[in-house]
Amino acid sequence: MTRVRLSVAERREELLRAAVEQIESRGVAAVRISDVASALGVSNALVLYHFSTKEQLVAAAFRHAAEGDLAHLRKLLDRRTTALRRLRSAVRWYAPTGQAKGWRLWIEGWAAALREPALRAVTQDLDRRWKAALAEVIAEGVAAGEFHCPDPQGAALRLTALLDGLAVQLTSYAGGMPRARAQEWAEEALCRELGLRRP
């Protein structure tokens, strides 16, 4: 079978997608350059041409996944509706839904970031941008008089910390907590942070 010749940007994109899939299925520690190469039917040398080490490949793969998630978050938060509706949409989308592949990827990334400085920089940047986006919409809602929140940055931090913790519980410990309860707690936390009575 003849492979289509891709541009450098297209090839890099293809390698990053394959790396994300391999990390999701094998985990950061177990994934190898050869796994990514084999998944695409290319040589190890081609992967190493674009990413000179496994650590660079893993960090770039996480950044690639993060940018996709942030683009989706931005789409939800940029809709033409109330700040409260946009926040609810973002929290529902972010909230853990059980054995989701996306959450397994991020839990793997957080664990590996403890030992990998390049990956730590990627996960910290994602975390900072995520919280900033939520805090911005909370501040918009306060300015519009939709709800009251004296500390939008603190509220964004507390909400994401709760959601991250629930994700670990639901993803790592199957059957430990009903998904409906996690969603209920996320809604309660949002209402509490915004000074709203729960519907």
Side-chain angles (χ1 to χ4, degrees):
M1 182 175 97
T2 316
R3 283 189 61 82
V4 177
R5 188 162 178 82
L6 301 176
S7 71
V8 171
E10 290 169 331
R11 176 68 73 197
R12 189 177 169 85
E13 172 89 10
E14 179 186 59
L15 291 168
L16 290 172
R17 279 196 313 267
V20 168
E21 289 171 7
Q22 290 301 311
I23 292 166
E24 286 174 341
S25 64
R26 297 172 187 273
V28 173
V31 76
R32 300 166 304 173
I33 292 283
S34 59
D35 296 323
V36 176
S38 161
L40 294 173
V42 299
S43 69
N44 291 0
L46 180 67
V47 180
L48 289 167
Y49 171 79
H50 290 275
F51 307 97
S52 56
T53 65
K54 173 191 161 178
E55 290 72 27
Q56 286 183 8
L57 173 63
V58 167
F62 272 90
R63 182 168 296 284
H64 176 75
E67 292 300 336
D69 286 352
L70 283 164
H72 187 76
L73 176 68
R74 202 68 262 171
K75 189 175 172 184
L76 292 173
L77 295 181
D78 286 346
R79 291 184 316 160
R80 290 180 168 266
T81 186
T82 66
L84 180 58
R85 283 187 178 166
R86 288 180 284 152
L87 284 168
R88 277 205 168 107
S89 294
V91 167
R92 284 188 191 118
W93 175 67
Y94 187 100
T97 55
Q99 294 294 321
K101 281 187 356 183
W103 274 113
R104 286 199 304 272
L105 176 72
W106 291 114
I107 292 168
E108 282 276 347
W110 293 332
L114 295 172
R115 294 171 301 284
E116 297 290 339
L119 188 52
R120 186 178 315 124
V122 169
T123 57
Q124 283 178 330
D125 181 55
L126 168 67
D127 189 62
R128 179 189 56 76
R129 290 165 65 193
W130 199 282
K131 288 175 174 63
L134 290 180
E136 181 185 322
V137 177
I138 293 171
E140 285 175 21
V142 170
E146 288 183 47
F147 43 74
H148 176 73
C149 178
D151 180 14
Q153 284 82 17
L157 193 153
R158 288 185 294 273
L159 280 170
T160 54
L162 171 69
L163 294 169
D164 291 345
L166 290 173
V168 170
Q169 291 294 313
L170 284 169
T171 307
S172 302
Y173 311 115
M177 172 189 292
R179 186 174 62 203
R181 182 176 298 159
Q183 292 169 335
E184 183 182 331
W185 286 356
E187 176 64 20
E188 283 175 0
L190 181 63
C191 291
R192 189 167 51 247
E193 292 294 346
L194 305 182
L196 298 173
R197 189 182 296 274
R198 194 166 168 227

